[in-house]
Amino acid sequence: MTAPEARRAARAAGGGIVTPLLLAVVCSGYAVGATLGWGSRELALIMGDFGLSAAALIAAVSCLCYARRVPSRLRPAWLLFALSSLMAAIGNAIWGWYEVVLGQPVPSPSVADVFFLCFPPPAIVGLLVLAKRPVTRAGWVCLALDSWLIGGSLLTLSWSLALAHTANAQGRSVAPAALSLAYPMLDIVLVSMVLALHFRRSGGHRSAVNTAVAALALTVVSDALFTSPLLRETYRSGQLLDAGWFAGSLLLAYAPWGARRPPESPRPPRGPRHLSRPVTGSLPALTPYLAAAVCTLGILFHVVEGRQVDLFVVLTACTVVLALVVRQGIMLIDNMALTHELAQKENHFRSLVQGSSDVIMIAAPSGILRYVSPAASGVYGRDAEELTGSELACLVHPQDLGRVVHEVRRFLATTPEDEPTTRIECRFRSGDGEWLNVESIVNRHQGGLIFNSRDVTERVRLQAQLQHSAEHDPLTDLPNRALFTERVRRAIGGRRAPDAGTAVLFIDLDGFKGVNDRLGHQAGDELLIAAAGRLAESVRSGDTAARLGGDEFAALILGDGTRDRASREAQVVEIADRLRLTLSQPYRIDGQDVRVAASIGVAFTEPGISPTGLMRNADLAMYRAKAGGKDRVELYAPQMQAEVVRRTELAARLRTALHEGEFALLHQPVINLASGRIDAVSAQARWRSAHGILFTPAEFLRVSGDGDRADELGRWLLDEAVAQAAERDRRGHHVPVTVRVSTRRLLDRSLPPGSIERLLARHGLPSGALTIELSDNDPRIHQDTRASLDELEQRLMALRRIGVRIALDGFGSGYAAINALRRLPLDVLKLDRGLTDGIVESSRQYKITSGLLGIACDLGMESVAEGVDLPEQVLALRAMGCTHGQGAAFAGALDEYRLRRALVRDDYPVTGEVALPALTGGAAGGSFRMRGGSHNETRVPPA
């Protein structure tokens, strides 16, 4: 309860106490004044007449005002109560007119008697409106008989005590006798209605109705005393009897307003209650016998007094007895019908219980099963007779018993109104010793409990299976990312500070994609299952191994409480390295050994770190391990995050640079080593940063790591190179251009077919003026299956048919060149820069390079040496039979202006001789001379 509600309740409680006290003081003061005679006869007459009239008028006004506020179904009753009080007020006022104003005795009968006699009928009708009326014809008959039993018995007793004497004493005058008998007769009818009718028990108006009934009962008692011969002959206004009428009127005025139901306060929990039959429910059954007893008392009074039995008493008693017999007969027939109906319902209920698939058990307060339905044999595998008499606790699983007992005690401590039932789920022992998951709806039953139970084992298993599926990887059955994240959260987010020795390992299988492409996805799945098994067997029982997706795995290594961080890091790195070696062992897939490596990143917990942050750190360390050469373990360092931020910023700047034209296209001449002329140019992109620094594609693409930007840059490079080559061709410089294009773009199915063909046609570049350069490191060329190169071969053949030449870059740097030479339609072989660098210093490399150039010559291909920076390299390459060279010895990458100047000159003559005895063993050489000054890479003019 809130503070304002508590204050309002306190004020209501205080008001509810003050008003009854004030009413008691006023009524007591009136009674004391009447007892003492009010001090004078005149004041006694005023208080006895007009005082009663004022009290009745207050009651009439109060009931009238209340009638305007109550529901419409109760309004007529309170209007009738107001009319009844008004009649009493007018009667008392007329009585006072005679005694106080006129100063003469009240005649009998008088006009006041008419209003007094009009007091009971409205009250009787009002009680009928409030009464709970019967719903059947037999009920109405029983109500009439009960009313006559009460009224007839009271009439018999009243006639025996006083009314017979009154009728005989006033017998010579009909009017006085009728008036004397009318008062008690109406009071008897009013009392009969009060006792025979069952009032409505509405929560909001019950107290007001009961208080009104008490006020009417007090008035009836005062009327009964007034009609007795002894008091009637000595009655004077203002005496003590008037206090009863006065109190009855004020109590009726107080009933609608002061007797309201106080606000309910929270009730404390109560223990189990034993239900008993209420006393009020037995009173209707006792009514006939009480009526017979009253009639007997009336007859006995005549016998004790020695009077002759009055014929009126005999007739009244006979009718009461006859009504009693008829009522008992009706009750007997009604009881027989109820017994038959109860038997039918019991049989119906028994058939429902015995035929139900649910098990119904009734347990005594001690926990002993008193009844078990036959369905127990089908659900529990145990007969109902076997379970009956056993203790309920013996059937419940020991791990669930404490929870069940706690729930039962809590349920019994609440009231049936607050919680009529409860639900308990636990495990029950079956007949074959297995534990079944059982759901029970529990109800109260005579201090014990009723269990309506059903087997939900399959549902629980299904829920567990769904929960397992939601938290585990469907292929490897390892915990998935969601469950792994939750376990990391529990490991570092408990009540205690996280153990600094707790670590997260991110594991990536190097080379898995090649296995997938080479052997198929089925073989890849088998490899992942085998790797997951090795990982799960390698971690401790308290640790967690998980699959995050694809070929990425993770492991949570819990700390051991070691405070020495250095030794703990060494221990975890050793564990990670052991995992790396385990995962790198050969896998037997489809009858052949398959090898993959593992790159592992390790991150330790830190104060205040979140599960997401810890997993991100491990992921960064894993990517650092892959970038550092793969098949290694890398420990997270804070600078890794800074590098990620730098790469992200550079990628964002790269996207902006592509759209804002910050890239420049440069060309490096390709020189014919025999003639010194420019036979081709190689297109290269450069990015001019905000500081004026030029980045090569390899530099900024390696840092950004953005494959989409590389594709976008490749499209720009090809479009711009073809456009400038076509413009040079129109100016008379018929020099082919070489452009690096990835096989990914050549085979991209999302691009329109024939995109390169349309590009050449749009710019008007003649046949043979474009050379497509492939890299020896391209993933498509590395694949050694026939299907992997078929599509690429077909695409290159289509380009050659339109005059596009094909070059292979990086020749001699890897084994992929052999596949390319065997399968692809190549026109030009470009030696790797690493071969060119060592031909002057190393005779072994000289011979290797010479052999590779011999292969190109035998296949009828042109050869181009990259990275030719020294005149000695030029002479050595020419001596080996290399046809073309490209490098700083001739010219760097030139902008369009300097390139056109070089094309106009178009001459790099070689003169003189340079002996190379160490390399050629006395082979003839020559001299080398270049004109035109420095050939370093030109800077791009500011935009």
Side-chain angles (χ1 to χ4, degrees):
M1 181 183 295
T2 61
E5 292 176 347
R7 288 193 294 269
R8 287 195 296 269
R11 288 195 297 268
I17 295 175
V18 171
T19 304
L21 288 177
L22 182 61
L23 179 64
V25 169
V26 172
C27 294
S28 299
Y30 190 96
V32 171
T35 303
L36 300 178
W38 297 104
S40 65
R41 177 176 175 77
E42 290 76 9
L43 183 59
L45 293 177
I46 293 173
M47 294 301 298
D49 295 334
F50 293 112
L52 293 181
S53 179
L57 185 60
I58 293 173
V61 174
S62 175
C63 292
L64 180 62
C65 294
Y66 186 65
R68 300 176 60 183
R69 300 182 57 177
V70 296
S72 58
R73 61 184 179 84
L74 301 177
R75 188 171 302 150
W78 291 98
L79 290 176
L80 291 171
F81 290 156
L83 178 60
S84 178
S85 298
L86 182 61
M87 295 297 102
I90 296 174
N92 283 295
I94 294 175
W95 196 285
W97 176 264
Y98 281 103
E99 288 188 335
V100 177
V101 177
L102 299 180
Q104 62 184 21
V106 180
S108 181
S110 66
V111 179
D113 292 323
V114 176
F115 287 98
F116 285 143
L117 292 176
C118 290
F119 168 79
I124 294 172
V125 177
L127 291 176
L128 286 173
V129 172
L130 293 176
K132 183 190 299 182
R133 292 179 291 276
V135 295
T136 62
R137 185 176 301 175
W140 282 105
V141 173
C142 288
L143 178 60
L145 293 174
D146 289 342
S147 300
W148 172 244
L149 286 172
I150 297 174
S153 61
L154 292 177
L155 180 60
T156 302
L157 183 61
S158 300
W159 188 273
S160 301
L161 294 177
L163 296 182
H165 177 73
T166 301
N168 294 329
Q170 303 291 339
R172 291 175 295 177
S173 177
V174 177
L179 182 61
S180 299
L181 294 176
Y183 282 108
M185 291 296 182
L186 291 174
D187 289 337
I188 289 173
V189 173
L190 184 58
V191 172
S192 300
M193 292 297 102
V194 172
L195 296 179
L197 298 177
H198 303 280
F199 295 97
R200 300 177 187 270
R201 297 295 181 181
S202 58
H205 306 278
R206 184 177 62 182
S207 58
V209 172
N210 291 339
T211 306
V213 170
L216 294 176
L218 183 60
T219 304
V220 169
V221 171
S222 300
D223 288 345
L225 294 175
F226 175 74
T227 57
S228 62
L230 296 178
L231 292 180
R232 180 67 180 270
E233 294 176 356
T234 60
Y235 172 76
R236 295 291 184 275
S237 296
Q239 293 182 349
L240 184 61
L241 184 59
D242 291 344
W245 286 314
F246 183 82
S249 297
L250 291 186
L251 188 60
L252 183 60
Y254 165 77
W257 311 104
R260 293 183 180 178
R261 187 177 183 179
E264 294 185 358
S265 59
R267 292 176 292 182
R270 292 178 288 180
R273 299 181 299 173
H274 297 281
L275 300 178
S276 60
R277 190 174 182 180
V279 177
T280 56
S282 302
L283 290 178
L286 297 176
T287 300
Y289 305 102
L290 292 176
V294 171
C295 289
T296 303
L297 288 176
I299 297 175
L300 289 177
F301 180 78
H302 278 75
V303 174
V304 172
E305 291 291 327
R307 301 178 185 176
Q308 183 180 2
V309 179
D310 195 337
L311 181 61
F312 182 81
V313 174
V314 174
L315 292 176
T316 306
C318 290
T319 56
V320 170
V321 173
L322 180 61
L324 176 61
V325 172
V326 174
R327 189 184 186 283
Q328 290 300 102
I330 294 175
M331 293 298 297
L332 180 60
I333 295 173
D334 193 22
N335 287 338
M336 292 176 61
L338 289 176
T339 302
H340 180 68
E341 183 180 358
L342 180 61
Q344 288 182 339
K345 290 184 177 180
E346 184 178 356
N347 292 332
H348 179 64
F349 174 74
R350 186 179 299 277
S351 64
L352 289 177
V353 171
Q354 294 179 352
S356 173
S357 59
D358 295 349
V359 180
I360 298 176
M361 301 182 297
I362 300 179
S366 60
I368 303 299
L369 295 177
R370 297 187 303 186
Y371 172 80
V372 180
S373 66
S377 59
V379 176
Y380 299 148
R382 305 175 67 177
D383 294 335
E385 294 77 7
E386 178 186 353
L387 294 176
T388 304
S390 62
E391 190 174 355
L392 181 62
C394 298
L395 304 176
V396 181
H397 195 282
Q399 296 180 359
D400 300 339
L401 183 59
R403 177 171 53 83
V404 172
V405 171
H406 174 75
E407 177 62 21
V408 168
R409 289 177 177 174
R410 185 202 63 78
F411 174 64
L412 293 177
T414 60
T415 60
E417 295 81 6
D418 295 337
E419 190 174 3
T421 62
T422 188
R423 187 180 68 87
I424 297 177
E425 188 170 332
C426 61
R427 287 169 287 181
F428 269 35
R429 185 190 301 274
S430 64
D432 53 4
E434 295 183 359
W435 293 102
L436 303 176
N437 294 91
V438 176
E439 181 185 64
S440 302
I441 302 299
V442 185
N443 294 269
R444 299 173 179 84
H445 176 69
Q446 296 181 356
L449 296 172
I450 297 179
F451 292 83
N452 190 351
S453 307
R454 64 180 59 186
D455 183 10
V456 294
T457 304
E458 291 300 325
R459 188 192 71 186
V460 173
R461 289 176 181 173
L462 179 59
Q463 290 176 346
Q465 182 179 357
L466 294 175
Q467 182 71 17
H468 183 84
S469 300
E471 295 179 343
H472 289 76
D473 176 58
L475 178 64
T476 62
D477 202 39
L478 290 179
N480 58 14
R481 183 181 293 271
L483 181 57
F484 184 77
T485 305
E486 178 61 28
R487 291 187 179 179
V488 172
R489 178 179 291 105
R490 289 201 298 264
I492 68 176
R495 295 182 178 179
R496 298 180 180 180
D499 191 343
T502 298
V504 170
L505 279 61
F506 265 44
I507 307 165
D508 186 83
L509 300 182
D510 303 321
F512 172 74
K513 187 177 184 304
V515 175
N516 231 4
D517 294 337
R518 188 169 64 253
L519 302 180
H521 291 282
Q522 181 65 32
D525 290 345
E526 294 180 11
L527 190 149
L528 290 176
I529 294 173
R534 293 183 184 182
L535 181 61
E537 292 174 358
S538 301
V539 298
R540 301 173 301 180
S541 59
D543 299 333
T544 300
R547 183 192 178 204
L548 305 182
D551 60 341
E552 290 188 358
F553 295 86
L556 172 63
I557 309 298
L558 298 178
D560 55 1
T562 303
R563 296 186 177 181
D564 187 357
R565 185 176 180 88
S567 62
R568 178 58 179 168
E569 288 183 357
Q571 181 182 4
V572 172
V573 170
E574 181 182 355
I575 294 174
D577 196 60
R578 188 168 62 249
L579 284 176
R580 180 186 63 81
L581 294 176
T582 301
L583 295 174
S584 300
Q585 295 298 318
Y587 297 86
R588 193 68 178 175
I589 306 295
D590 290 341
Q592 56 180 315
D593 289 339
V594 178
R595 290 181 178 271
V596 293
S599 296
I600 302 179
V602 182
F604 286 89
T605 58
E606 300 173 359
I609 194 170
S610 64
T612 305
L614 180 59
M615 295 171 63
R616 179 201 61 207
N617 293 347
D619 195 22
L620 292 176
M622 185 263 290
Y623 276 105
R624 171 59 67 89
K626 293 179 71 67
K630 303 180 180 180
D631 192 19
R632 55 182 295 176
V633 176
E634 191 75 31
L635 192 63
Y636 170 78
Q639 58 266 25
M640 294 181 184
Q641 180 64 27
E643 182 179 346
V644 170
V645 173
R646 175 171 169 265
R647 289 171 55 187
T648 304
E649 293 177 350
L650 186 57
R653 289 169 54 194
L654 179 59
R655 287 193 294 270
T656 303
L658 283 170
H659 292 90
E660 295 185 359
E662 295 182 7
F663 279 87
L665 183 63
L666 304 181
H667 295 84
Q668 188 173 27
V670 178
I671 308 301
N672 189 314
L673 296 182
S675 63
R677 299 177 61 86
I678 301 175
D679 281 358
V681 292
S682 177
Q684 300 175 6
R686 295 293 187 271
W687 178 26
R688 179 179 58 249
S689 69
H691 303 287
I693 302 175
L694 292 177
F695 290 99
T696 65
E699 292 172 334
F700 56 72
L701 289 179
R702 183 180 64 253
V703 174
S704 67
D706 196 334
D708 294 336
R709 301 287 82 74
D711 292 341
E712 189 174 353
L713 179 61
R715 288 193 295 270
W716 175 85
L717 177 62
L718 181 61
D719 293 348
E720 192 69 17
V722 170
Q724 292 189 15
E727 180 64 24
R728 287 193 298 270
D729 186 76
R730 286 190 289 270
R731 292 177 178 268
H733 302 295
H734 307 293
V735 180
V737 62
T738 301
V739 183
R740 172 75 63 88
V741 179
S742 66
T743 58
R744 173 182 173 182
R745 183 162 188 267
L746 286 175
L747 302 178
D748 190 356
R749 299 181 183 275
S750 63
L751 295 176
S755 56
I756 296 179
E757 292 83 344
R758 285 196 299 273
L759 176 65
L760 297 176
R762 184 172 70 249
H763 293 287
L765 190 65
S767 176
L770 175 63
T771 301
I772 296 297
E773 181 179 292
L774 305 178
S775 174
D776 182 38
N777 295 322
D778 198 294
R780 290 279 183 171
I781 300 177
H782 273 280
Q783 295 171 353
D784 56 3
T785 59
R786 178 177 297 273
S788 62
L789 292 176
D790 285 345
E791 188 177 4
L792 179 59
E793 181 182 6
Q794 296 173 5
R795 178 60 177 149
L796 294 179
M797 291 295 294
L799 291 175
R800 287 192 71 185
R801 282 193 290 269
I802 63 172
V804 177
R805 307 179 74 212
I806 309 299
L808 179 64
D809 186 27
F811 183 67
S813 62
Y815 69 91
I818 305 302
N819 288 332
L821 289 175
R822 186 174 64 249
R823 297 292 308 278
L824 301 181
L826 301 176
D827 300 294
V828 180
L829 288 180
K830 301 188 72 171
L831 290 179
D832 185 73
R833 181 182 294 271
L835 296 175
T836 307
D837 289 339
I839 59 175
V840 177
E841 294 83 4
S842 172
S843 61
R844 186 181 186 89
Q845 189 159 336
Y846 182 92
K847 294 177 181 180
I848 293 174
T849 306
S850 178
L852 293 176
L853 290 173
I855 294 175
C857 181
D858 293 340
L859 294 176
M861 300 180 186
E862 293 183 1
S863 55
V864 178
E866 288 188 301
V868 182
D869 299 331
L870 302 174
E872 293 83 356
Q873 294 173 341
V874 176
L875 297 177
L877 290 169
R878 188 176 62 178
M880 295 177 190
C882 182
T883 60
H884 295 82
Q886 174 183 342
F890 308 107
L894 307 177
D895 57 21
E896 187 65 19
Y897 172 75
R898 290 181 174 84
L899 175 63
R900 290 178 182 177
R901 288 181 57 188
L903 290 175
V904 171
R905 184 176 67 247
D906 193 22
D907 181 20
Y908 291 89
V910 179
T911 60
E913 292 183 358
V914 178
L916 299 172
L919 301 178
T920 63
S927 61
F928 180 80
R929 180 176 61 85
M930 294 184 296
R931 297 182 301 178
S934 174
H935 298 285
N936 293 334
E937 180 176 312
T938 60
R939 294 182 61 83
V940 178

